[in-house]
Amino acid sequence: MGLFEGKKGLILGIANPFSIAWAITQKLHEQGAEMAFNHLPDRDKPKNEKKLRKLVEPLGAELIVPCDVCDDSQIETLIDRTAEKFGKIDFLLHSIAFAHPDDLTGPTYACSRRGFLQAMEISAYSLLAVAGAAKKKDLLADECSILTLSYFGGEEVIPGYNLMGICKAALECSVRYLAAELGPDGTRVNAISAGPLKTVSAQGVGEFQLMLDLYEGVSPMRKNISMDEVGNTGMFMLSGLSTGISAEVVHLDKGFSKMGAPPHDFINKLRSEG
Ligand SMILES: NC(=O)c1ccc[n+]([C@@H]2O[C@H](COP(=O)([O-])OP(=O)(O)OC[C@H]3O[C@@H](n4cnc5c(N)ncnc54)[C@H](O)[C@@H]3O)[C@@H](O)[C@H]2O)c1
């Protein structure tokens, strides 16, 4: 019997087959989970909806709802429809972030007020908004697990990550406050701080290939993480195997974030390459 047999959940943030949320969804499905999904609302043609349906319908998706997290009424509709379908949910995945390239690629002191607010709203506030709407609707089952995706640039300075680093710091702090507030109801809230993975959003972050090279050279394992690994860790964090973990930021980065200085072989390689 799968770990998620009889378990129901809501997945936010599958845009395409490269999305982290898709990697986690596939692992949840293998373990028997039933799921509802959101996509960004379409303007003219149903492009986002079609892309999502192509992926999740073969898995027997229970519900597909458009939801822009900047719109409270769309969040409410998503939560209402999920409640109608499932009654309660055992897990909620939030795998959403956005910053306009004009605000993301420059130094943080040059980002616009509007761009800062938009990035914060989508990348950090949305976790509070969705969790709040779910709590208000009494959607969260006992021992519900909420999981979001973060990055090390929210803890320390990673050149190029810039504005998104500030958003991730707010997101990780939101995880801790939410965990403290929802814990008495039996709900856990955590984040995975994932190393770089080639997704559409990641390409918007400055010098992405350089980041992959850096992790490969510096991490204790001398490797980058894989989609399979983020899928497995996401599934674990949403499952009943991780009931002792809450208010935590789990580093899934082959140990990169624990290195205080680059290893000698990496420095020697840089020297030999001149
Ligand atoms: N790829 C990486 O290297 C990496 C590393 C660590 C953390 N993350 C985080 O993982 C999460 C998922 O990103 P990804 O890399 O899978 O990229 P992705 O582009 O596949 O996913 C981002 C998702 O955010 C959604 N989104 C953006 N604005 C939205 C809005 N207003 N309303 C609703 N949805 C909206 C997009 O539709 C998309 O599904 C993000 O929080 C990202 O910061 C990514």
Side-chain angles (χ1 to χ4, degrees), residues 12-16 18-22 38-41 48 67-71 74 94-98 118 122-123 126 148-152 161 164 168 171 192-203 205 208 211-212 225 227:
L12 308 183
I14 301 180
N16 53 54
F18 311 105
S19 295
I20 289 174
W22 173 236
N38 93 308
H39 62 80
L40 260 182
N48 297 325
C67 177
D68 180 337
V69 292
C70 296
D71 184 332
Q74 291 186 30
H94 172 279
S95 186
I96 286 176
F98 179 79
Q118 182 192 39
I122 298 175
S123 313
S126 64
T148 189
L149 269 298
S150 190
Y151 177 65
F152 187 48
Y161 203 63
M164 193 49 70
K168 291 305 189 192
L171 180 72
I192 291 176
S193 179
L197 284 160
K198 261 191 189 167
T199 65
V200 172
S201 288
Q203 315 289 329
V205 174
F208 184 72
M211 299 265 272
L212 289 173
I225 63 160
M227 274 293 179

Side-chain angles (χ1 to χ4, degrees), residues 55-238:
L55 291 170
V56 301
E57 277 182 346
L59 308 188
E62 295 279 340
L63 184 69
I64 293 167
V65 183
C67 177
D68 180 337
V69 292
C70 296
D71 184 332
D72 284 333
S73 68
Q74 291 186 30
I75 293 178
E76 203 180 317
T77 302
L78 173 71
I79 296 298
D80 284 352
R81 292 196 54 197
T82 307
E84 277 163 28
K85 185 78 199 166
F86 289 149
K88 300 248 184 197
I89 56 170
D90 304 287
F91 60 92
L92 169 59
L93 176 66
H94 172 279
S95 186
I96 286 176
F98 179 79
H100 194 282
D102 291 349
D103 298 296
L104 189 62
T105 49
T108 56
Y109 60 75
C111 99
S112 67
R113 186 183 298 266
R114 203 188 150 135
F116 180 90
L117 293 174
Q118 182 192 39
M120 275 287 183
E121 180 179 20
I122 298 175
S123 313
Y125 174 72
S126 64
L127 176 69
L128 301 175
V130 171
K135 166 144 175 84
K136 194 170 157 203
K137 189 75 188 173
D138 200 19
L139 180 65
L140 308 172
D142 282 351
E143 299 201 344
C144 180
S145 175
I146 299 178
L147 181 68
T148 189
L149 269 298
S150 190
Y151 177 65
F152 187 48
E155 291 171 63
E156 306 289 350
V157 173
I158 302 288
Y161 203 63
N162 305 7
L163 171 60
M164 193 49 70
I166 297 173
C167 295
K168 291 305 189 192
L171 180 72
E172 291 182 14
C173 197
S174 306
V175 162
R176 292 186 281 274
Y177 276 90
L178 269 181
E181 290 158 1
L182 300 180
D185 300 338
T187 298
R188 301 185 289 122
V189 188
N190 291 291
I192 291 176
S193 179
L197 284 160
K198 261 191 189 167
T199 65
V200 172
S201 288
Q203 315 289 329
V205 174
E207 294 160 341
F208 184 72
Q209 185 55 48
L210 207 69
M211 299 265 272
L212 289 173
D213 295 345
L214 188 69
Y215 273 67
E216 200 176 292
V218 172
S219 69
M221 310 296 295
R222 306 290 194 279
K223 269 185 190 165
N224 277 287
I225 63 160
S226 66
M227 274 293 179
D228 203 52
E229 286 167 332
V230 78
N232 279 331
T233 307
M235 188 268 288
F236 164 73
M237 291 301 294
L238 291 170

